[in-house]
């Protein structure tokens, strides 16, 4: 049986404490340090009970958990181990839940004998009984019974035997691992000799020695900081599904401590995850009741500590009012949230922000449920004991109406300013007139099934519903039928229905689902899944059916169901849509990032935009041309939009140049040939000429005269169908990616060419001093600038399409997949930083992502994307902006207790989330 993914330990050592306690400890240390690079804490993580278990009354449960989290079992075989109950139990568990193929035998007491005739252990072999009859053939084992001296003194375990044990754990050949160990050992020896020499020099040069000592101290601190930062990053990702606010804070602290690729990836993953979760609001106590205003601007929470907290989302204010010492059982809000009704089981109260803001008692000593009319004029209060009593108070006249005949008491709500509705947990309901509580409608027949269901209501009690086995059914009180929806099966904790009855939200084991209700029960809509909040206490729709709030513990989570991304925003600039077979748009950004040019349609419509402000401004527009392309200058603030025209009597090109002086438009006569089917273009240093790649033809065009001042045919042999290509920054090299042949790197000065790797490609481009090639298989290869040495290969599949961009510093690559998500990866390490969706094209007849282009801004802080028939979008990739967004989402600071629990390091003097970053982010 294969080991499950996400294991904690590489191996579990099973041994006899009486015989192999010391040997087990030394073997664990040797395995963890064998062939270990100096910068890693350990090469393997090996479990040994005396070293890895904390104090725990459930010993076997802890051991079983460790076995479940281990990939291999190392059995130290000795006479004592053969008779050990614990060894027998551990081995039996392993053979039942894992496989003998993941078992390594180490002989520490001799006596291992295999009987070839029986195909099993010899009768006198000292092995645990459970190991007999389970091996298909004679196993290999490592002999360590001779590492003890005659006097019982400990001897070092030979390196080659450690390698024999470690090799299968590491998944490498024994000789290869042993060679790596010797190489590292020789390096260590050289380092030791260097230290000796340094120490000798220190005797004479004490001042130099002090400097070296300080450097070593700083290095140790650096390594400790690096380890802590990665630990915080891992904890952040681990908490994404249940404690989203904590995950944001841990990711920020990890990145702030050391901005390395791992912490950057964790920060990106936490900020971009669960994009519909907008903010976390903190009540300061366990939340027991929740309400929202109908205008969608106010959220109200009651706590177990007897306080009511009100958040105004419009102005960002938070107010907290103490009602008493009892837990709040119910809250209700008026239309704008300025008036709030509260019940705590010992009374009902009204908070009016327009008046004193202090609680006003309503004289209902056993109130548990409250409702409030939109204007705040009427307050309805339900007292379940000794007999269910409904009380309505007219706050304008002071009139009070009591009625002890209320028959439904699970939910209460006021419709308009005329009636109040009470609903029972099984769907019974009654509606009464506010002025005299006269019954004007109702039903004593239950709507729900007999058991195993969870009931829910809309905020005004106008809708009732239940969820059972994943099926959601609702009714409007007074009208049948309602709507239906389908959720994953199982039991649910809470159910909430939107005010218009169109949507239902339900929570189950830390997950929430929102589903659109429909009368077509045969074709239910697919639910939307929301994660990150943990176990949900209560839910309410906010100001309609596209926003939702939920409460978990002391935190209110605000959800925007329309959002699909947190870091990408549309600029509003529309990209011309071409036919289904049209190529992707062309996109370029000026060196300083102030302007961008994009060509859409069938490469016959182009625009130049000013990116410097928050609102995009169009600087130039071209349409009705035969072909257009974009090229960014290496200096200045210019982006060139160059269009080939069919002018008479001779063709010409039209140049739009957007810079600090605005826009300039001029026609340049084309002295030679035309410009069609452009594969790549680049304005050369100085800005006076542009290099153009058309098929395998390379031309240098003078932007003043329009004449081609340089030409070379770089197409080797019979190359045809050039799909992709790029020009180096200085124009001295060109890379060609034909559809049906290998990638070719060409020198524009000499015309010499070189084949780069093997296989076809769908995208090639220069990235600083490196060359990036995406193969047709989806694999991404990183080559040195000469195209001779392949430095790294990033995995891929057919889902990756040719839209690729590399950041200006050459460290980050953005790759678009066929499902519309962009994956970010570190080109130096190959680590995936994260992924995010792009806004799709609107009205495009074909696949929108095959007609999408991406480009980084000059500082790498944004990724631009242009989709045919869609929009020009901007995605924030600046880690400093991610930190600000994470702090905004979390809505609080990391506590000292949380730091101590997760960081295991000295606490910073300031834990505020928004404090400045140290140094420049990666």
């Amino acid at each position: 049986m294969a080991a499950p993914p996400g294991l904690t330990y590489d191996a579990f050592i099973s041994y006899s404490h009486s015989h192999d306690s010391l040997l087990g400890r030394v073997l664990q240390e040797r395995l963890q340090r064998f062939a270990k690079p100096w910068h890693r804490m350990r090469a393997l993580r090996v479990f040994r009970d005396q070293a890895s278990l904390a104090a725990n009354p459930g010993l076997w449960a802890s051991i079983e958990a460790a076995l479940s989290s281990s990939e291999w079992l190392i059995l130290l075989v000795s006479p004592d181990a053969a008779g050990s109950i614990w060894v027998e139990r551990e081995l039996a568990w392993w053979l039942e839940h894992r496989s003998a193929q993941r078992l390594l035998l180490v002989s520490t007491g001799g006596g291992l004998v295999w009987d070839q005739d029986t195909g099993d252990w010899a009768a006198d072999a000292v092995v645990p009984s459970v190991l007999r009859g389970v091996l298909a053939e004679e196993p290999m084992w490592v002999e360590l019974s001779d590492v003890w001296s005659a006097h019982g003194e400990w001897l070092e375990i030979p390196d080659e035997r450690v390698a024999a044990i470690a090799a299968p754990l590491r998944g490498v050949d024994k000789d290869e691992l042993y060679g790596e160990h010797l190489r590292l050992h020789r390096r260590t020896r050289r380092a030791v000799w260097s230290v000796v020499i340094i120490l000798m020099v220190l005797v004479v040069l004490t001042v130099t020695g002090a400097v070296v000592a300080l450097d070593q101290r700083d290095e140790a601190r650096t390594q400790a900081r690096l380890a802590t930062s990665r630990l915080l990053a891992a904890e952040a990702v681990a908490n994404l599904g249940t404690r989203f606010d904590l995950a944001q804070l841990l990711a920020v602290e990890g990145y702030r401590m050391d901005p390395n690729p791992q912490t950057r990836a964790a920060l990106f993953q936490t900020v971009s995850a669960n994009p519909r979760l907008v903010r976390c609001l903190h009540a300061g106590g366990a939340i027991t009741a929740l309400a929202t205003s109908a205008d969608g601007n106010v959220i109200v929470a009651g706590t177990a500590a007897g306080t009511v907290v009100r958040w105004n989302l419009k102005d960002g204010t938070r107010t907290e009012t103490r009602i008493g010492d009892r837990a709040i059982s119910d809250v209700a809000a008026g239309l704008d949230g300025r008036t709030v009704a509260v019940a705590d089981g010992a009374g009902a109260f009204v908070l009016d922000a327009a008046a004193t803001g202090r609680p006003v008692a309503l004289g209902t000593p056993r109130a548990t449920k409250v409702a409030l009319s939109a204007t705040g004029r009427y307050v309805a209060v339900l007292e379940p004991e000794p007999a269910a009593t409904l009380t309505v108070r007219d706050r304008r006249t002071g009139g009070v109406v009591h009625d002890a005949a209320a028959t439904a008491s699970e939910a209460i709500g006021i419709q308009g300013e005329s009636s109040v509705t009470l609903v029972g947990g099984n769907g019974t309901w009654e509606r009464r007139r506010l002025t005299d509580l006269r019954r004007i409608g109702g039903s004593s027949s239950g709507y729900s099934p007999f058991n195993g269901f969870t009931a829910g209501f809309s905020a005004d009690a106008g809708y009732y519903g239940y969820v059972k086995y994943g099926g959601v059914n609702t009714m409007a009180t007074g009208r049948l039928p309602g709507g239906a929806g389908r959720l994953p099966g199982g039991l649910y904790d809470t159910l909430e229905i939107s005010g218009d009855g169109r949507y239902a939200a339900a929570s189950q084991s830390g997950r929430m689902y929102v589903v659109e209700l429909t009368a077509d029960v045969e074709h239910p809509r697919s639910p939307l899944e929301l994660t990150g909040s943990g176990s949900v206490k209560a839910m309410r729709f906010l100001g309609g059916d596209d926003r939702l709030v939920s409460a978990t513990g002391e935190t209110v989570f605000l959800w925007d169901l329309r959002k699909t991304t947190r870091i990408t925003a549309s600029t509003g600039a529309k990209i011309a849509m071409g036919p289904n077979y049209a190529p992707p748009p062309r996109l370029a950004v000026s060196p300083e990032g102030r302007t961008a040019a994009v060509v859409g349609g069938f490469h016959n419509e182009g625009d130049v935009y000013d990116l410097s402000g928050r609102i995009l401004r169009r600087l130039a527009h071209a349409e009705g041309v035969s072909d257009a392309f974009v090229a960014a200058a290496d200096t200045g603030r210019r982006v060139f939009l160059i269009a080939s025209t069919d002018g008479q009597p001779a063709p010409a090109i039209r140049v739009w140049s957007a810079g600090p002086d605005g826009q300039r438009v001029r026609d340049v006569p084309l002295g030679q040939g035309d410009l069609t089917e452009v594969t790549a273009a680049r304005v050369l240093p100085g800005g006076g000429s542009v290099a153009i790649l058309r098929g395998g033809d390379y031309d240098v065009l003078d932007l003043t005269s329009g004449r081609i001042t340089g030409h070379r045919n770089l197409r080797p042999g019979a190359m045809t169908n050039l799909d992709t290509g790029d020009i180096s920054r200085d124009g001295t090299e060109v890379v060609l990616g034909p559809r049906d042949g290998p990638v070719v790197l060409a020198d524009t000065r000499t015309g010499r060419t070189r084949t780069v790797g093997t296989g076809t490609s769908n995208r090639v481009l220069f990235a600083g001093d490196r060359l990036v090639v995406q193969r047709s298989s989806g694999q991404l290869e990183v080559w040195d600038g000469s195209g001779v040495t392949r430095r790294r290969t990033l995995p891929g599949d057919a889902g990756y399409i040719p839209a690729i961009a590399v950041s200006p510093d050459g460290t980050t690559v953005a790759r678009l997949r066929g499902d519309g998500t962009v994956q970010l990866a570190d080109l130096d390490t190959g680590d995936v930083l994260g992924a995010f969706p792009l806004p799709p094209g609107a009205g495009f007849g074909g696949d929108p992502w095959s007609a999408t282009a991406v480009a980084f801004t000059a500082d790498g802080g944004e990724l631009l994307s242009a989709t045919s028939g869609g929009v020009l979008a901007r995605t924030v990739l600046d880690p400093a902006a991610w930190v600000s967004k994470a702090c905004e989402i979390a809505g609080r600071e990391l506590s000292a207790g949380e730091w101590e629990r997760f960081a295991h390091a000295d606490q910073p003097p300031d834990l505020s989330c928004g404090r400045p970053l140290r140094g420049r982010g990666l």
Side-chain angles (χ1 to χ4, degrees):
M1 180 184 298
L7 297 176
T8 302
Y9 298 102
D10 296 288
F12 180 108
I13 297 179
S14 179
Y15 64 102
S16 166
H17 286 208
S18 61
H19 186 272
D20 292 324
S21 180
L22 180 57
L23 176 58
R25 176 177 62 81
V26 174
L27 179 60
Q28 179 191 31
E29 294 173 354
R30 291 299 312 278
L31 289 174
Q32 292 186 151
R33 299 182 62 83
F34 191 79
K36 178 189 76 67
W38 66 271
H39 61 277
R40 291 181 59 184
M41 185 177 298
R42 58 174 70 93
L44 294 168
R45 191 171 185 197
V46 180
F47 178 90
R48 184 176 60 87
D49 52 6
Q50 290 185 340
S52 305
L53 285 182
N56 192 329
L59 178 57
W60 173 246
S62 300
I63 291 176
E64 187 176 20
L67 285 167
S68 300
S69 302
S70 301
E71 188 170 354
W72 288 84
L73 179 69
I74 301 174
L75 177 62
L76 304 190
V77 184
S78 67
D80 291 25
S84 171
I85 296 176
W86 286 101
V87 171
E88 186 91 5
R89 192 173 183 184
E90 292 164 354
L91 182 57
W93 187 97
W94 188 266
L95 294 175
E96 178 183 353
H97 296 89
R98 288 287 191 276
S99 168
Q101 300 300 319
R102 290 277 172 171
L103 174 65
L104 296 177
L105 301 181
V106 178
S107 175
T108 65
L112 281 185
V113 181
W114 183 264
D115 190 334
Q116 297 293 344
D117 295 332
T118 63
D120 199 359
W121 298 105
D124 58 348
V126 286
V127 296
S129 59
V130 71
L131 193 58
R132 295 183 179 275
V134 298
L135 301 178
E137 57 183 345
E138 181 178 2
M140 294 290 294
W141 65 81
V142 179
E143 188 63 55
L144 294 185
S145 59
D146 58 347
V147 298
W148 294 90
S149 70
H151 303 289
E153 298 173 352
W154 178 249
L155 297 179
E156 179 71 14
I157 302 177
D159 288 343
E160 61 271 17
R161 302 191 196 181
V162 178
I165 302 173
L169 304 183
R170 301 271 286 271
V172 298
D173 182 75
K174 171 188 172 183
D175 294 337
E176 179 184 346
L177 181 63
Y178 186 55
E180 176 68 8
H181 174 71
L182 292 179
R183 185 181 66 81
L184 294 174
H185 183 64
R186 285 193 293 269
R187 178 184 294 177
T188 302
R189 290 185 61 184
R190 289 195 296 268
V192 170
W193 277 110
S194 299
V195 172
V196 171
I197 294 173
I198 292 173
L199 290 175
M200 294 174 63
V201 175
L202 288 178
V203 175
V204 180
L205 304 173
T206 57
V207 174
T208 304
V211 173
V212 173
L214 289 174
D215 289 343
Q216 292 176 337
R217 181 202 64 184
D218 291 343
E219 176 63 18
R221 290 177 176 175
T222 298
Q223 293 301 319
R225 185 173 68 252
L226 180 63
T228 302
S229 70
R230 291 175 174 174
L231 174 63
L232 289 169
E235 292 288 359
V237 175
N239 280 277
L240 270 176
T242 54
R243 301 188 63 186
F244 197 72
D245 55 338
L246 176 62
Q248 305 298 312
L249 299 173
L250 293 176
V252 168
E253 291 302 327
Y255 182 80
R256 178 178 277 116
M257 179 166 285
D258 191 273
N260 56 67
Q262 289 78 15
T263 58
R264 180 188 177 195
L267 177 62
F268 176 80
Q269 187 173 347
T270 54
V271 171
S272 58
N274 301 335
R276 295 177 177 85
L277 206 169
V278 178
R279 290 182 62 190
C280 301
L281 306 171
H282 304 280
I287 297 171
T288 55
L290 191 63
T292 59
S293 64
D295 66 359
N297 290 327
V298 174
I299 301 172
V300 181
T303 74
T307 61
V308 172
V309 183
R310 175 167 38 189
W311 293 274
N312 190 315
L313 303 179
K314 193 172 184 179
D315 60 23
T317 58
R318 176 188 185 275
T319 58
E320 182 174 337
T321 305
R322 174 162 293 281
I323 302 299
D325 297 328
R326 297 174 62 93
I328 304 300
S329 59
D330 197 16
V331 288
L335 174 65
D336 57 8
R338 292 176 59 84
T339 304
V340 175
V342 185
D344 66 358
F349 308 85
V350 171
L351 301 176
D352 195 336
T356 63
R358 298 175 181 176
V360 176
L362 299 181
T364 48
R366 290 172 295 275
T368 58
K369 301 283 184 180
V370 289
L372 191 65
S373 66
T375 63
R377 175 178 177 178
Y378 294 100
V379 183
V381 181
L382 190 62
E383 297 175 276
E385 296 178 351
T389 302
L390 174 65
T391 299
V392 173
R393 178 183 291 270
D394 186 336
R395 297 179 59 233
R396 181 181 300 173
T397 65
V400 180
V401 180
H402 298 281
D403 191 328
T407 59
S409 59
E410 192 68 23
I412 181 173
I414 295 178
Q415 293 76 44
E417 303 289 317
S418 60
S419 63
V420 57
T421 300
L422 296 94
V423 188
N426 62 350
T428 59
W429 63 278
E430 59 177 327
R431 180 166 291 125
R432 295 170 178 267
R433 195 162 54 194
L434 282 173
T435 54
D436 56 8
L437 292 184
R438 179 182 175 184
R439 182 185 172 100
I440 55 177
S443 173
S444 59
S445 300
Y447 178 70
S448 64
F450 287 106
N451 50 42
F453 68 93
T454 299
F457 316 89
S458 61
D460 66 351
Y463 287 89
Y464 165 83
Y466 67 87
V467 55
K468 181 175 182 178
Y469 304 142
V472 180
N473 292 277
T474 66
M475 72 168 189
T477 52
R479 301 186 302 277
L480 284 174
R486 190 70 196 174
L487 303 176
L491 298 177
Y492 281 79
D493 304 317
T494 58
L495 176 66
E496 178 73 10
I497 304 169
S498 62
D500 57 8
R502 293 180 55 209
Y503 288 84
S507 66
Q508 175 193 65
S509 302
R511 296 178 180 270
M512 295 194 301
Y513 299 93
V514 180
V515 63
E516 183 178 1
L517 303 175
T518 174
D520 185 3
V521 296
E522 298 298 326
H523 302 89
R525 304 295 172 84
S526 298
L528 176 67
E529 182 178 351
L530 306 174
T531 61
S533 63
S535 181
V536 176
K537 170 68 177 178
M539 294 183 295
R540 292 289 184 271
F541 282 92
L542 177 63
D545 50 28
D546 54 11
R547 288 190 299 168
L548 185 72
V549 294
S550 63
T552 299
E554 300 182 0
T555 306
V556 171
F557 297 88
L558 173 59
W559 308 82
D560 187 337
L561 306 180
R562 300 163 299 182
K563 291 182 69 69
T564 58
T565 176
R566 190 177 287 118
I567 60 174
T568 301
S570 169
T571 63
K574 296 182 178 180
I575 309 300
M577 182 173 66
N580 293 352
Y581 56 86
R586 291 169 173 163
L587 179 63
V589 184
S590 63
E592 90 311 330
R594 290 281 301 274
T595 51
V598 59
V599 174
F602 202 77
H603 289 172
N604 57 357
E605 292 190 44
D607 296 281
V608 179
Y609 294 100
D610 182 356
L611 300 176
S612 58
R614 296 186 63 182
I615 300 177
L616 205 70
R617 184 166 62 97
R618 188 165 73 177
L619 301 176
H621 176 70
E623 62 179 323
V625 295
S626 60
D627 193 37
F629 59 91
V630 293
D634 277 350
T635 58
R637 299 178 177 176
R638 294 182 293 180
V639 171
F640 291 86
L641 174 61
I642 304 176
S644 174
T645 66
D646 295 326
Q648 297 294 330
I653 62 170
R654 185 160 296 163
V655 180
W656 285 260
S657 175
D661 54 347
Q663 70 177 54
R664 298 192 306 275
V665 180
R666 69 178 186 274
D667 287 345
V668 178
L670 186 61
Q672 304 170 21
D674 61 0
L675 297 176
T676 58
E677 300 180 359
V678 174
T679 303
R682 182 181 295 276
V683 177
L684 298 179
S689 58
V690 60
I692 304 167
L693 181 64
R694 295 175 295 144
D697 291 318
Y698 175 79
D699 297 302
V700 177
L701 177 70
D702 186 286
L703 289 175
T704 301
S705 66
R707 292 192 172 275
I708 294 178
T709 59
H711 171 78
R712 188 173 292 278
N713 184 348
L714 301 174
R715 183 186 292 111
M719 175 188 289
T720 59
N721 298 325
L722 182 65
D723 280 351
T724 176
D726 197 15
I727 304 170
S728 64
R729 286 185 178 179
D730 59 3
T732 61
E733 288 185 309
V734 168
V735 60
L736 309 171
R739 182 184 311 166
D740 50 5
V743 175
V744 174
L745 183 65
D747 190 314
T748 61
R749 297 161 297 185
T750 65
R752 285 181 292 198
T753 62
R754 172 186 291 115
T755 299
V756 181
T758 59
T760 59
S761 64
N762 58 29
R763 188 73 167 93
V764 293
L765 68 160
F766 289 99
D769 61 349
R770 293 180 287 190
L771 182 63
V772 175
V773 177
Q774 179 165 282
R775 298 295 178 183
S776 301
S777 64
Q779 285 190 337
L780 192 76
E781 299 173 354
V782 183
W783 295 78
D784 66 343
S786 65
V788 174
T789 303
R790 185 171 61 186
R791 296 179 176 176
R792 184 174 300 280
T793 299
L794 277 65
D797 53 47
Y800 288 96
I801 60 178
I804 300 176
V806 177
S807 61
D809 61 5
T811 62
T812 305
V813 61
R815 308 169 65 191
L816 181 60
R817 291 187 59 84
D819 60 0
T821 59
V822 174
Q823 183 192 81
L824 296 179
D826 191 297
L827 282 180
D828 292 328
T829 65
D831 294 334
V832 175
L833 302 178
F836 58 90
L838 290 180
F844 187 75
D847 175 13
W849 310 120
S850 63
T852 297
V854 292
F856 279 92
T857 55
D859 61 358
E862 287 186 337
L863 183 75
L864 302 183
S865 61
T867 301
S868 180
V871 295
L872 182 65
R874 306 169 76 166
T875 299
V876 177
L877 299 180
D878 179 13
W882 296 346
V883 168
S884 298
K885 177 58 69 173
C887 294
E888 176 188 337
I889 297 168
R892 66 178 180 93
E893 318 296 351
L894 193 69
S895 69
E898 289 170 333
W899 175 272
E900 181 179 358
R901 177 183 175 188
F902 293 103
H904 308 297
D906 292 338
Q907 179 182 321
D910 181 9
L911 278 177
S912 58
C913 188
R915 68 186 188 275
L917 290 170
R918 295 187 342 180
R920 183 179 181 272
L922 295 180

